Amino acid sequence: MGETVHGSLVPEWADLDPNVMSQPVKTIEDKWKLVPAFLRVKGLVKQHIDSFNYFINVDIKNIVRANSKVTSDVDPLFYVKYLDVRVGKPNIEEGMNISNDTAPHECRLRDITYSAPVMVDVEFMRGDHRIFRRDIPIGRMPIMLRSSNCVLSQCRSYAELAKYNECPHDPGGYFIIKGQEKVILIQEQLSKNRMIVEEDKKGSLTCQVTSSTHEKKSRTNVTMKNGKHYLKHNTLTDDVAVGIVFKAMGVASDQEIVQMIGTEDRIMTSFAASLEECARLNVYTQTQALKFIGNKVRQKRFFDRGPKKTPVDEARDLLATTILAHVPVEKFNFKMKSIYLALMVRRVIEAQGDTRAIDDRDYYGNKRLELAGSLISLLFEDLFKKFNSDLKKRADMVLGKKGKVSQFDTVHYMNSSQDSITNGLEVAISTGNWTIKRFKMERQGVTQVLARLSYISALGMMTRVNSQFEKTRKVSGPRSLQPSQWGMVCPSDTPEGESCGLVKNLALMTHITTEVDPEPIIELAFNCGVEDINLLSGEELSSRVVFLVFLNGNIIGVTRYHERVVRVFRAMRRNTVISGFVSIYTHYKHRCVYISSDGGRLCRPYIIVENCQPTVTEEHIKRLTRGLMSFDDFLHEGLVEYLDVNEENDSSIAMYEHEIERKTTHMEIEPFTILGVCAGLIPYPHHNQSPRNTYQCAMGKQAMGTIGYNQRNRIDTLLYNLVYPHKPLVKTRTIELINFEHLPAGHNAMVAVMSYSGYDIEDAIIINKSSLDRGYGRCLVYRNYKCSVKRYANQTSDRVQGPVMEVLEGGKQKVTWKHETLDSDGFAAVGTPVQPRQVLINKQMPTVTQLSFTNDQAQRQVSFRDTPVLHKGPGTTYVEKVMLSSDTDEFHLIKLLTRQTRRPEIGDKFSSRHGQKGVTGLIVQKEDLPFTDQGIYPDMIMNPHGFPSRMTVGKLLELLGSKSAALEGKYNYGTAFGGTPVKEIMEELVRHGYNYQGKDILYSGTTGEPLNAYIFFGPVYYQKLKHMVMDKMHARSRGPRAVLTRQPTEGRARDGGLRLGEMERDCLIGHGASMLLLERLMISSDAFDVDVCNSCGLLGYSGWCHYCRSSANVSSIRIPYACKLLFQELQSMNIVPRLRLENYCS
Amino acid sequence: MDTGRIKLEEFRLVPEHDLESPAKRSDHDGIIKLISMDDIDMELDFIGFNISLVNAYRRIILAEVATMAIEKVYMYNNTSIVQDEVLAHRLGLVPLKVDPRFFEFRNKDEKEWGAQDSVKYELKVRCSKNPQASDKETNPDILYKDRKVLSSSLKWMPIGNQTDIFQESSMQPLHDDILLAKMNCGHLINLEAYAVKGIGSDHAKFQPGLSWYRMLPEIKLVREVEGEDALLLQKCFSPGVIDIITNSEGKNVANVNDARNDACSRNVFQYDNIKDSVKMTRKTDHVIFYVESHSALKSHEILDEAVSIMIGKCDLLLSEIEKHLEMDADT
């Protein structure tokens, strides 16, 4: 093997034991088994669930603790103090103070929110008494499915989940709001509290820091302008010279400032001008500097409450709390902050003339992903603050009343105002509008309805990452594939079009960190040789012998032995002394050691390599397969560790065992895990042209198949199912891992790659009619119809009535056609076929619903009008089930599920797993189709022209693989960067007497002669896509017209006309087809006969001109109704359009 | 196709003009050999016939030979999870033992189900708890009775005088173990189904069986192949096609034993060293014809039917000509 040769040649290897070196690194068989082990522990959507669990169990307590006290301005004795907060178990409040435990499926069916009460323990004053109360509900928190508070998290077996009507393969991680499944998409943004050096639009260098704490969010810039450095902040009206800011922070002497920034020649010369600027502005002391800054503070316009501060105080406050808000300032000790600022200046100077020092915004190490937990925590804190301020307002009002009749009842108030938190959360999740007042943040489209088109679409949605970048900007940077995306974000799975590259999907093994408490980490850092920054003067910072140590963007100290610090930290992490998600890496260019423990970092597990040997051995894998070890054991034993993007880029990671060199630190678990869920379905994706994989990622989500084991219990607005779905013959490891096999979406169709009949141009496919007869591509379409029976204010309510009878000539009674479907209870009977426009629910509504005060008992007789629910849409449908329930407002909720079985027809869309979509071009009788020596007739014929330009070699391999799998009676693997080797497949084909290239001799079905070419023939996994002709087909001769213009309505849903647009019109004009034009644009559209008076030119009415009061000159002409409308509208605006008629008849 | 052979080249099939065959062919014009036959499978050789004739029989078998299949299902109750349409579809695909030759095609406008054109079936199953099952049993197949609804549960209900003509054993589904539906305890299926006579071009369920053909493969060794190469060559063809014999010089050489069973996989072209040693052809006037029954009709009956349909077509053609000639004579 190659390595051994290298080993003897490279001298650095000499110090290692030759015995060790001469051995090739043994490949670890089946190390991919770590991937399922990882997924068993982490699950596909663990990031969402972890994040939500962190919020619900930890963060919510922090938020309440931070806002724990509410006092009154009026009564100094009054206070409310929150002692603890808890989120309970999900339940439903059925009214009358009854609440029942609930399960997600009940919420889905009954259109209610799956939520749990948030309860607090409070201590408060009522009069002079101090009172403790426990478990006071303050609102309801929507519960993420499978989170720690969800009932499903307790389920251990399929049977238990089945009891809750839940599919075991459903990943969870979403919310149910009013019966709708909502996903909070992962939001990608630039990381907070980190310095980023950039070149701005004008070409000047800027060091930018976005500080974010619980209270404040602000952005601070240090820029270089005219050779001088300025501090830029949006609370300051003007840029302030950095020197002044230093002085304002108490670093008054120029020497001290320079020492902090750096005493190297280059740095000093570059900074000198900025110091001179201070002198030029006559700022020498701290007070002068503060005054200078104070005068530039932007005036806040609103609430000018509190005593007015002097500019000096204001500037000091600003520096302490707003500028670089994340750097702690205690008792106006600005030391940390000035050091931080100095470093920012230094970074700007270092980046001058050195493009390598400029940071990359798109680098994934500089990105953080915001998940459901952190987003809800932002929202909850806002709502909680509002809740408290309302409480305070209310308390002030009650306590401030003169008479002081009643005491303020805190508990009662809390009970009655639960809605503000409940609704706030519910509305935000159901609309996706995230409004956070204290950060002035407003974001749209944070949540989306979980797409339940297929299992894959639901899974794909859970791993979706949404970028904050605006879609309209035409910059390629944020959209293009970033090298640091490797292994974290799927390189294939992104939509085409406007959001290309902005919407991404996580790779299979990606994990997103949650926050880890930084205190013990600081402790550890000091214990292993980091010197506290507070103990140092400024000069040490820029010393060549030390490395700065950062924790989450804050400087905590310096160290002389950075290697030791990093080594110790990693050892501690591997021994699980500190959390496995703490990352540490050295940045040699910055001469810094960065430690991160914040949430939202992308990370993924790697096998640790020590002394050129992977620590994971075959023995470990054996124990793993036997179930003696779990993935967590691998972590605990220091065999595997998580690396985040920054640390990953500081490591040397071997892809395979034979690539391990001396400097190697880690090894990949499996290369196929760089792909995401959707791309994981593609067999042999590494043989395909890359855009094809991207297309398939989009199409896999439209494939019909199975939704989940509970699909028959669901009542969704639209649900597509395949009658006979297949497992793919060529599968991938990913397919097994995500259970696609158990919830498949497609068929293994026998495909002949040849041309046939000419109905197969432009990717159209030919289908065997007999295959369709036997159930190929047959699908079920479920659709629901909903209505609620409401009760109104005037004691009336909706009702559902039985069918209406009509009397036939012979005196016999017969149910009217529209009601033929109905049972006597007014609902369509289960199993009945329903024609379009027939009634499903015969609901009636009272004509008067308003409360009237005029009459009394006399008007008890209520009249009703029909408001039936009709079957819209094409084709006969069958009633599958009828559900009666009540929603939260105690209205009766009626849901009716209908079903259609559809057989593929010409125009239905199919696709293989390689981005090769096509519509059915022709359905051919079996006897007309070609057949092989073995008497095999194809299910489908695909035109070979689909291959050369698309270069989907993976599809060819899939066909070969499927063929051999079918012959052998097994499944082949087409796993990315692996899979069954083609050679093996070919050998199998030969063994079964087939051509090694998969090409067979076919006889024409029509002439009977053998075809002149060998035909590539075998099974390929085909997906049926949701686009079906039946849902799109539309034609109209006569039909409804719009009321206003009397022109035909628009759109298929309204049975609209087909528009002859302006370009089509131009063509007709060009042809001079004037009569056709007239016919299309007027006669067939909105022709209207008007009476025009030729003396005044205005429109008359039935032969009479109302203006002239005569019928003398009135003649009738035919114009478009829209034209007549225009005249009248112009008249209404005081413009008189007059018509002049000339007689053409004479 | 007037050429006698088609040569299998590496990338295409090339018709080969055979100089000797036309004269020869006339000698044994139209030989048919029955190679093997049982109720299900049948293999016969058409030698010296034009391929289109053989193809015509194939097409007739697939499209026009009639069989009986369930066409209409009256669903009285179905509480199983299988949807009504799907269950009906599955019933349609169940092959029946009913001999179609005793029945007529049903008139499209016919409302009643007559004894001469339809067969009635009934399916009444209810899944219930198995009293014999032990308490600890977890396998639902044992725990419940009638959990699997099989084709054997389809019960023939005679219409009119059908009892006089048919026996129940000849009216049941061909296989009694076709899974129609799975049910859970308490589920119930109650339906009536009517089978009619139909043809394959209307729906695949009426296809009596499968039929196809292939041309006789021929393999000629162009040069002597010996030793390792001979073994390699042997592997490139189906088993039994190439023999290794020891020739007069004592070398192990390859020899064509029987090319008939070769799958024509052309795998010799994988190996450059031996690919020039063989010439593979297929004889166009020697067609091996297969019929495989999956219906009530036996394989030979299918062919029988196909031939009579063909005769019917020929008669129609002849009578048409006759008519024309008569008309000409009249005028």
Side-chain angles (χ1 to χ4, degrees), chain A residues 54 59 62 214 513-518 552 597-600:
Chain A
Y54 176 77
D59 213 21
N62 292 340
H214 269 294
T513 58
T514 50
E515 219 170 293
V516 176
D517 186 19
N552 295 336
S597 72
D598 53 341

Side-chain angles (χ1 to χ4, degrees), chain A residues 712 721 723-724 769-775 778 780 782 831 878 880 899-901 903 925-929 931-937 986 989-997 999-1014, chain B residues 1 6-15 51-52 55 58-59 62-63 80-86 89-90 93 200-205 207 209-216 235-236 238 262-270 282 284 290 294:
Chain A
R712 297 295 301 275
N721 275 169
V723 177
Y724 299 112
K769 178 170 165 286
S770 291
S771 306
L772 301 187
D773 287 345
R774 296 192 186 101
R778 200 163 281 227
L780 295 158
Y782 290 96
Y878 295 87
E880 168 100 1
R899 143 172 58 84
Q900 262 183 340
T901 312
R903 174 196 157 108
Q925 293 284 351
K926 184 182 188 177
E927 65 269 19
D928 291 335
L929 283 167
F931 57 96
T932 67
D933 266 5
Q934 286 78 30
I936 302 170
Y937 292 78
M986 284 178 165
L989 285 177
V990 171
R991 201 158 60 238
H992 288 94
Y994 281 82
N995 179 245
Y996 70 105
Q997 291 172 312
K999 293 180 184 178
D1000 291 337
I1001 297 169
L1002 261 66
Y1003 298 89
S1004 161
T1006 44
T1007 67
E1009 289 167 22
L1011 301 176
N1012 287 331
Y1014 303 115
Chain B
M1 181 151 306
I6 294 175
K7 190 179 172 207
L8 307 184
E9 289 187 358
E10 191 169 359
F11 299 111
R12 59 187 179 145
L13 296 102
V14 183
I51 191 96
S52 42
N55 190 33
R58 179 190 70 86
R59 291 171 58 89
L62 288 178
S80 77
I81 57 147
V82 182
Q83 297 88 346
D84 297 352
E85 304 93 287
V86 177
H89 174 234
R90 292 180 74 89
L93 293 174
S201 64
D202 179 40
H203 195 282
K205 68 186 171 188
Q207 277 167 13
L210 193 62
S211 93
W212 76 98
Y213 56 77
R214 62 189 181 107
M215 288 170 174
L216 183 76
K235 270 190 193 154
C236 291
S238 301
D262 186 38
C264 290
S265 59
R266 314 175 307 284
N267 286 322
V268 230
F269 293 118
Q270 268 185 102
R282 307 202 83 166
T284 53
Y290 296 88
H294 51 60

Side-chain angles (χ1 to χ4, degrees), chain A residues 59 141 160 360 388 426 527 564 602 675 791 1019 1023:
Chain A
D59 213 21
M141 170 73 57
E160 278 176 67
D360 185 358
N388 284 341
E426 221 177 82
N527 284 340
R564 204 184 76 171
L602 287 161
L675 297 177
R791 220 171 287 146
Q1023 302 160 313

Side-chain angles (χ1 to χ4, degrees), chain A residues 868-1140:
Chain A
V869 178
L870 301 176
H871 164 45
K872 285 168 276 181
T876 312
T877 183
Y878 295 87
V879 181
E880 168 100 1
K881 61 172 78 157
V882 180
M883 188 198 82
L884 299 180
S885 176
S886 63
D887 58 11
T888 38
D889 306 326
E890 290 180 85
F891 291 134
H892 291 291
L893 177 75
I894 302 163
K895 279 186 176 179
L896 200 134
L897 189 67
T898 64
R899 143 172 58 84
Q900 262 183 340
T901 312
R902 294 183 188 173
R903 174 196 157 108
E905 53 184 331
I906 289 178
D908 282 1
K909 202 171 169 186
F910 286 84
S911 139
S912 72
R913 286 182 290 171
H914 304 270
Q916 304 247 53
K917 55 174 184 260
V919 293
T920 315
L922 192 68
I923 295 169
V924 181
Q925 293 284 351
K926 184 182 188 177
E927 65 269 19
D928 291 335
L929 283 167
F931 57 96
T932 67
D933 266 5
Q934 286 78 30
I936 302 170
Y937 292 78
D939 293 316
M940 200 177 249
I941 296 178
M942 184 210 155
N943 195 302
H945 285 109
F947 282 116
S949 58
R950 280 74 183 278
M951 294 183 275
T952 50
V953 180
K955 189 168 176 178
L956 304 177
L957 297 185
E958 188 198 340
L959 188 142
L960 281 182
S962 303
K963 198 169 177 174
S964 98
L967 290 167
E968 198 86 346
K970 60 163 193 182
Y971 292 97
N972 269 324
Y973 284 93
T975 314
F977 315 111
T980 321
V982 184
K983 193 148 184 273
E984 231 167 77
I985 291 170
M986 284 178 165
E987 276 161 13
E988 257 161 33
L989 285 177
V990 171
R991 201 158 60 238
H992 288 94
Y994 281 82
N995 179 245
Y996 70 105
Q997 291 172 312
K999 293 180 184 178
D1000 291 337
I1001 297 169
L1002 261 66
Y1003 298 89
S1004 161
T1006 44
T1007 67
E1009 289 167 22
L1011 301 176
N1012 287 331
Y1014 303 115
I1015 303 299
F1016 197 54
F1017 190 90
V1020 177
Y1021 196 66
Y1022 259 84
Q1023 302 160 313
K1024 187 179 186 195
L1025 305 186
K1026 64 169 182 178
H1027 307 284
M1028 282 176 288
V1029 164
M1030 198 179 188
D1031 302 318
K1032 314 213 160 172
M1033 190 170 64
H1034 175 50
R1036 138 171 180 156
S1037 53
R1038 266 174 298 175
R1041 280 151 195 274
V1043 181
L1044 184 71
T1045 58
R1046 299 197 183 175
Q1047 286 171 351
T1049 49
E1050 217 174 319
R1052 187 183 113 94
R1054 272 164 287 167
D1055 191 23
L1058 298 164
R1059 183 181 155 88
L1060 187 103
E1062 39 193 326
M1063 292 173 86
E1064 291 81 2
R1065 182 209 60 161
D1066 291 346
C1067 288
L1068 294 187
I1069 293 172
H1071 275 285
S1074 63
M1075 295 310 279
L1076 183 58
L1077 261 178
L1078 189 72
E1079 192 268 338
R1080 281 291 88 199
L1081 295 178
M1082 188 170 83
I1083 296 164
S1084 295
S1085 174
D1086 57 345
F1088 184 65
D1089 290 318
V1090 281
D1091 293 334
V1092 182
C1093 173
N1094 209 14
S1095 57
C1096 66
L1098 296 179
L1099 301 183
Y1101 183 69
S1102 56
W1104 171 260
C1105 177
H1106 206 70
Y1107 184 77
C1108 309
R1109 305 209 169 270
S1110 89
S1111 58
N1113 290 313
V1114 177
S1115 41
S1116 181
I1117 62 161
R1118 177 168 277 199
I1119 59 168
Y1121 187 83
C1123 180
K1124 174 239 154 196
L1125 191 70
L1126 173 73
F1127 294 154
Q1128 287 177 331
E1129 281 180 357
L1130 286 174
Q1131 278 178 335
S1132 74
M1133 293 185 291
N1134 270 354
I1135 301 168
V1136 187
R1138 290 186 195 276
L1139 290 170
R1140 184 143 305 147

Side-chain angles (χ1 to χ4, degrees), chain B residues 135-163:
Chain B
D135 295 342
K136 283 177 191 157
E137 188 60 60
T138 50
N139 182 2
D141 288 340
I142 300 170
L143 211 52
Y144 305 119
K145 273 204 300 199
D146 285 322
R147 182 175 159 79
K148 289 177 174 171
V149 183
L150 301 179
S151 51
S152 54
S153 328
L154 269 177
K155 203 169 163 259
W156 174 53
M157 308 297 280
I159 304 174
N161 62 346
Q162 281 180 346
T163 29

Side-chain angles (χ1 to χ4, degrees), chain B residues 35-271:
Chain B
I35 305 295
S36 72
M37 186 176 88
D38 57 27
D39 286 356
I40 309 240
D41 292 304
M42 176 174 182
E43 180 179 343
L44 70 164
D45 283 15
F46 284 89
I47 307 164
F49 286 96
N50 192 297
I51 191 96
S52 42
L53 181 77
V54 189
N55 190 33
Y57 285 122
R58 179 190 70 86
R59 291 171 58 89
I60 288 171
I61 289 172
L62 288 178
E64 288 176 73
V65 175
T67 58
M68 302 291 284
I70 289 172
E71 174 73 11
K72 197 95 182 173
V73 177
Y74 293 93
M75 200 76 64
Y76 294 119
N77 200 357
N78 172 19
T79 53
S80 77
I81 57 147
V82 182
Q83 297 88 346
D84 297 352
E85 304 93 287
V86 177
L87 183 60
H89 174 234
R90 292 180 74 89
L91 284 170
L93 293 174
V94 173
L96 304 170
K97 271 186 192 161
V98 189
D99 194 322
R101 285 165 295 191
F102 292 113
F103 289 89
E104 293 168 11
F105 284 104
R106 190 174 140 83
N107 193 344
K108 274 240 165 78
D109 312 317
E110 188 72 63
K111 291 273 180 339
E112 300 291 305
W113 298 99
Q116 74 291 344
D117 59 17
S118 45
V119 185
K120 182 180 172 187
Y121 292 92
E122 202 178 70
L123 184 68
K124 271 188 183 165
V125 214
R126 177 192 283 276
C127 181
S128 53
K129 268 231 168 73
N130 185 4
Q132 271 104 54
S134 72
D135 295 342
K136 283 177 191 157
E137 188 60 60
T138 50
N139 182 2
D141 288 340
I142 300 170
L143 211 52
Y144 305 119
K145 273 204 300 199
D146 285 322
R147 182 175 159 79
K148 289 177 174 171
V149 183
L150 301 179
S151 51
S152 54
S153 328
L154 269 177
K155 203 169 163 259
W156 174 53
M157 308 297 280
I159 304 174
N161 62 346
Q162 281 180 346
T163 29
D164 308 339
I165 312 164
F166 306 107
Q167 283 186 321
E168 182 161 15
S169 59
S170 67
M171 302 300 278
Q172 284 157 343
L174 189 60
H175 308 279
D176 54 13
D177 56 349
I178 302 172
L179 185 65
L180 296 176
K182 277 192 183 181
M183 300 201 286
N184 212 339
C185 194
H187 284 174
L188 167 75
I189 293 176
N190 179 10
L191 57 85
E192 240 170 52
Y194 289 89
V196 298
K197 192 174 176 178
I199 56 167
S201 64
D202 179 40
H203 195 282
K205 68 186 171 188
F206 293 117
Q207 277 167 13
L210 193 62
S211 93
W212 76 98
Y213 56 77
R214 62 189 181 107
M215 288 170 174
L216 183 76
E218 288 176 316
I219 298 164
K220 234 185 237 163
L221 288 178
V222 179
R223 59 174 171 86
E224 194 166 79
V225 184
E226 57 161 339
E228 287 287 299
D229 285 354
L231 285 170
L232 191 62
L233 190 74
Q234 192 180 27
K235 270 190 193 154
C236 291
F237 293 92
S238 301
V241 174
I242 302 285
D243 266 358
I244 310 285
I245 52 165
T246 321
N247 70 354
S248 51
E249 295 160 40
K251 287 187 210 159
N252 288 334
V253 292
N255 179 50
V256 179
N257 176 35
D258 180 16
R260 182 186 168 92
N261 290 326
D262 186 38
C264 290
S265 59
R266 314 175 307 284
N267 286 322
V268 230
F269 293 118
Q270 268 185 102
Y271 307 105

Side-chain angles (χ1 to χ4, degrees), chain A residues 164-446:
Chain A
Y164 287 119
N165 265 326
E166 207 59 39
C167 174
H169 300 312
D170 186 70
Y174 54 89
F175 299 89
I176 296 171
I177 310 290
K178 290 176 188 143
Q180 255 192 338
E181 295 167 312
K182 287 278 186 178
V183 189
I184 299 183
L185 296 183
I186 306 171
Q187 306 288 322
E188 175 193 296
Q189 50 194 216
L190 217 55
S191 73
K192 301 278 151 54
N193 306 345
R194 304 292 146 103
M195 290 182 211
I196 286 191
V197 181
E198 277 186 309
E199 213 164 319
D200 64 14
K201 281 162 265 161
K202 292 164 204 154
S204 55
L205 289 165
T206 311
C207 180
Q208 191 181 66
V209 176
T210 315
S211 314
S212 169
T213 60
H214 269 294
E215 280 77 40
K216 282 246 159 58
K217 227 179 199 176
S218 78
R219 186 172 295 164
T220 316
N221 292 292
V222 170
T223 53
M224 177 107 179
K225 213 159 62 183
N226 308 325
K228 283 168 276 187
H229 299 275
Y230 292 92
L231 181 109
K232 209 181 190 171
H233 196 272
N234 55 5
T235 51
L236 300 174
T237 47
D238 217 348
D239 297 356
V240 181
V242 164
I244 296 175
V245 182
F246 277 115
K247 286 181 196 231
M249 291 200 279
V251 192
S253 85
D254 288 357
Q255 185 191 352
E256 230 179 314
I257 296 172
V258 172
Q259 273 181 344
M260 277 204 289
I261 293 169
T263 46
E264 295 94 324
D265 256 2
R266 197 169 81 85
I267 307 268
M268 284 211 290
T269 33
S270 177
F271 192 67
S274 306
L275 282 177
E276 282 161 23
E277 178 79 1
C278 299
R280 198 179 65 77
L281 292 166
N282 266 330
V283 177
Y284 299 101
T285 66
Q286 185 176 11
T287 332
Q288 281 173 326
L290 285 172
K291 202 175 271 172
F292 181 86
I293 294 170
N295 287 329
K296 293 200 168 177
V297 173
R298 189 161 283 164
Q299 290 302 316
K300 282 184 213 137
R301 260 164 283 158
F302 329 104
F303 48 103
D304 263 340
R305 267 186 282 157
K308 186 120 172 82
K309 288 184 210 151
T310 60
V312 173
D313 282 343
E314 205 166 336
R316 195 183 285 127
D317 262 10
L318 195 77
L319 283 177
T321 61
T322 310
I323 292 173
L324 294 173
H326 70 285
V327 185
V329 172
E330 270 168 50
K331 291 180 183 158
F332 296 106
N333 175 7
F334 284 106
K335 173 145 193 180
M336 293 272 268
K337 203 165 263 189
S338 52
I339 288 170
Y340 196 89
L341 187 66
L343 195 70
M344 286 175 76
V345 177
R346 191 185 162 90
R347 289 276 161 85
V348 174
I349 295 168
E350 274 174 350
Q352 269 175 302
D354 183 4
T355 44
R356 286 173 305 166
I358 293 175
D359 288 309
D360 185 358
R361 260 173 182 274
D362 305 324
Y363 176 64
Y364 263 78
N366 293 331
K367 295 237 171 128
R368 292 293 178 271
L369 302 190
E370 240 178 344
L371 286 156
S374 48
L375 283 164
I376 291 186
S377 120
L378 286 176
L379 195 67
F380 179 78
E381 188 161 8
D382 222 48
L383 292 168
F384 188 61
K385 281 187 166 153
K386 183 162 182 297
F387 181 82
N388 284 341
S389 77
D390 287 353
L391 176 70
K392 177 182 168 341
K393 259 185 230 160
R394 183 82 199 170
D396 283 355
M397 213 172 83
V398 174
L399 295 172
K401 267 186 192 158
K402 295 252 169 62
K404 224 178 193 181
V405 191
S406 63
Q407 285 161 336
F408 179 65
D409 189 348
T410 311
V411 173
H412 183 261
Y413 176 78
M414 283 186 175
N415 266 325
S416 61
S417 62
Q418 284 185 48
D419 278 358
S420 80
I421 289 178
T422 310
N423 289 343
L425 289 168
E426 221 177 82
V427 167
I429 297 177
S430 68
T431 59
N433 296 333
W434 233 251
T435 319
I436 287 148
K437 295 223 174 69
R438 74 203 134 106
F439 295 154
K440 297 189 187 77
M441 185 175 100
E442 218 163 300
R443 242 189 247 168
Q444 263 91 49
V446 176

